[in-house]
């Protein structure tokens, strides 16, 4: 349907694609203009939602990027939203779904593609770059990814279980692994974001909440340390599902405006919008801390 955003006429087109298993993937494309042909020759960012989310989670990203004439595409992964499938796989099979969306955008004339993922979606972006070796992706924003599912489950157990029950974590984990393999047909050990990061060369802007009670920020620390390409990690105040502060949203928008233009850029140019930590403002609620890694 048609709508106006900041005085600009925009459109949303919904579409359905079959994934590799024949399941329907429901997706939406937002762009400036009245017909899908108006998106030809433009750039797009694909938003990848978290494990309990759907494509509606892309609304904030759409409002952020669409006024810059950057198209936004979002999908319901298999097992989420109204797409087909019974189970999500927390990053194991989702990269395959993402591949179909990337291919579709190429066929309608989208020139440059970026990825923005949160939680499971962030892991999916990393795994896609690793498994598909798609160096045509201009850049990614990865918000609160995890390293591996077993590591995450052990950490959750430490915070949720009484100390006396902690020795049972290993046996319980093995039981869960067996049931997941039998019912959902994937292994919890398939997903290792640190291994994937070693094969990722496109520029990446990471974000993680300092008070994330579900996925501790140490997961992003490990992934950034392993990342092969130029990257920057921004730690923001807040929990796992909290709205990200305006300064990070602005930094992400500037990051995509830069990488989607194409061409070689220095790390300083890539992350020009990311504020460095300033010790004089440690107690300022609006301040963030940043760390970086580059492939120089």
């Amino acid at each position: 349907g048609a709508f106006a955003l900041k005085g600009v006429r925009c459109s949303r087109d919904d579409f359905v694609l079959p994934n590799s298993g024949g399941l329907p993937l429901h997706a939406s494309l937002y762009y400036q203009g009245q017909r899908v042909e108006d998106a030809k020759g433009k750039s797009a960012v694909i938003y990848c939602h978290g494990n309990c989310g759907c494509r509606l989670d892309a609304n904030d990203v759409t409002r952020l990027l669409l006024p810059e004439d950057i198209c936004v595409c979002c999908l319901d992964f298999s097992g989420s939203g109204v797409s087909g499938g019974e189970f999500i796989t927390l990053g194991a099979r989702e990269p395959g779904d993402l591949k179909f969306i990337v291919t579709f955008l190429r066929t309608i004339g989208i020139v440059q593609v970026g990825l923005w993922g949160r939680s499971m979606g962030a892991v999916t972006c990393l795994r896609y770059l690793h498994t598909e070796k798609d160096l045509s992706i201009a850049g990614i924003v990865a918000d609160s990814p995890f390293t591996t599912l077993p590591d995450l489950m052990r950490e959750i157990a430490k915070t949720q279980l009484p100390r006396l029950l902690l020795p049972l974590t290993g046996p319980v984990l093995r039981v869960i692994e067996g049931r997941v393999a039998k019912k959902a047909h994937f292994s919890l050990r398939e997903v290792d974001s640190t291994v994937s990061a070693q094969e990722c060369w496109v520029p990446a802007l990471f974000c993680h909440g300092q008070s994330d009670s579900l996925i501790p920020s140490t997961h992003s620390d490990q992934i950034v340390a392993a990342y092969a390409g130029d990257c920057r990690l921004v730690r923001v105040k807040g929990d796992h599902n909290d709205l990200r502060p305006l300064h990070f949203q602005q930094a992400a928008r500037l990051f995509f405006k830069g990488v989607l233009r194409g061409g070689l850029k220095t790390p300083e140019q890539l992350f020009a919008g990311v504020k460095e930590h300033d010790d004089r403002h440690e107690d300022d609620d609006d301040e963030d801390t940043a760390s970086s890694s580059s492939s120089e």
Side-chain angles (χ1 to χ4, degrees), residues 91-147:
R93 300 290 179 266
E94 284 75 14
D97 291 348
L98 179 56
K99 180 180 179 179
F100 282 89
I101 303 300
V102 173
T103 301
F104 171 78
L105 293 181
R106 300 291 190 200
T107 63
I108 66 170
I110 293 295
V111 178
Q112 295 277 7
V113 175
L115 307 176
W116 187 327
R118 186 150 182 175
S119 193
M120 178 187 79
V123 172
T124 297
C125 295
L126 294 166
R127 292 251 309 149
Y128 173 80
L129 293 175
H130 174 201
T131 59
E132 298 300 328
K133 312 295 184 187
D134 189 350
L135 295 179
S136 71
I137 297 299
I140 68 169
V141 168
D143 189 335
S144 54
F146 56 83
T147 52

Side-chain angles (χ1 to χ4, degrees), residues 41-154:
K42 296 183 179 181
S43 297
V45 169
I46 303 173
Y47 183 82
C48 302
H49 64 76
N51 68 303
C52 293
C54 68
R55 57 187 153 147
L56 294 178
D57 295 349
N59 286 346
D60 290 335
V61 172
T62 301
R63 285 191 288 266
L64 183 71
L65 298 181
L66 198 53
E68 304 294 338
D69 206 12
I70 298 173
C71 307
V72 176
C73 187
C74 49
L75 75 152
D76 293 334
F77 284 115
S78 300
S80 300
V82 294
S83 287
E86 191 175 355
F87 302 104
I88 58 169
T89 62
L90 297 169
R93 300 290 179 266
E94 284 75 14
D97 291 348
L98 179 56
K99 180 180 179 179
F100 282 89
I101 303 300
V102 173
T103 301
F104 171 78
L105 293 181
R106 300 291 190 200
T107 63
I108 66 170
I110 293 295
V111 178
Q112 295 277 7
V113 175
L115 307 176
W116 187 327
R118 186 150 182 175
S119 193
M120 178 187 79
V123 172
T124 297
C125 295
L126 294 166
R127 292 251 309 149
Y128 173 80
L129 293 175
H130 174 201
T131 59
E132 298 300 328
K133 312 295 184 187
D134 189 350
L135 295 179
S136 71
I137 297 299
I140 68 169
V141 168
D143 189 335
S144 54
F146 56 83
T147 52
T148 72
L149 287 170
D151 285 349
L152 179 59
M153 294 169 74
R154 291 188 190 97

Side-chain angles (χ1 to χ4, degrees), residues 120-235:
M120 178 187 79
V123 172
T124 297
C125 295
L126 294 166
R127 292 251 309 149
Y128 173 80
L129 293 175
H130 174 201
T131 59
E132 298 300 328
K133 312 295 184 187
D134 189 350
L135 295 179
S136 71
I137 297 299
I140 68 169
V141 168
D143 189 335
S144 54
F146 56 83
T147 52
T148 72
L149 287 170
D151 285 349
L152 179 59
M153 294 169 74
R154 291 188 190 97
E155 290 181 355
I156 292 175
K158 286 180 183 179
T159 59
Q160 300 295 325
L161 294 179
R163 183 175 297 179
L164 289 175
L165 296 180
L166 289 180
L168 298 176
T169 303
V172 170
L173 183 56
R174 286 191 288 274
V175 171
I176 294 174
E177 282 188 89
R179 291 187 176 179
V180 166
K182 184 177 180 180
K183 280 197 158 190
H185 307 293
F186 78 98
S187 169
L188 294 181
R189 300 183 185 275
E190 280 184 59
V191 179
D192 190 328
S193 298
T194 52
V195 170
S196 292
Q198 295 171 28
E199 301 296 329
C200 294
W201 295 95
V202 307
L205 178 60
F206 288 84
C207 175
H208 217 113
Q210 294 174 320
S211 304
D212 195 318
S213 57
L214 180 63
I215 304 175
S217 61
T218 51
H219 284 249
S220 280
D221 290 332
Q222 295 176 54
I223 295 168
V224 166
Y227 200 84
D230 294 324
C231 68
R232 180 70 55 89
L233 168 61
V234 180
R235 297 176 181 84

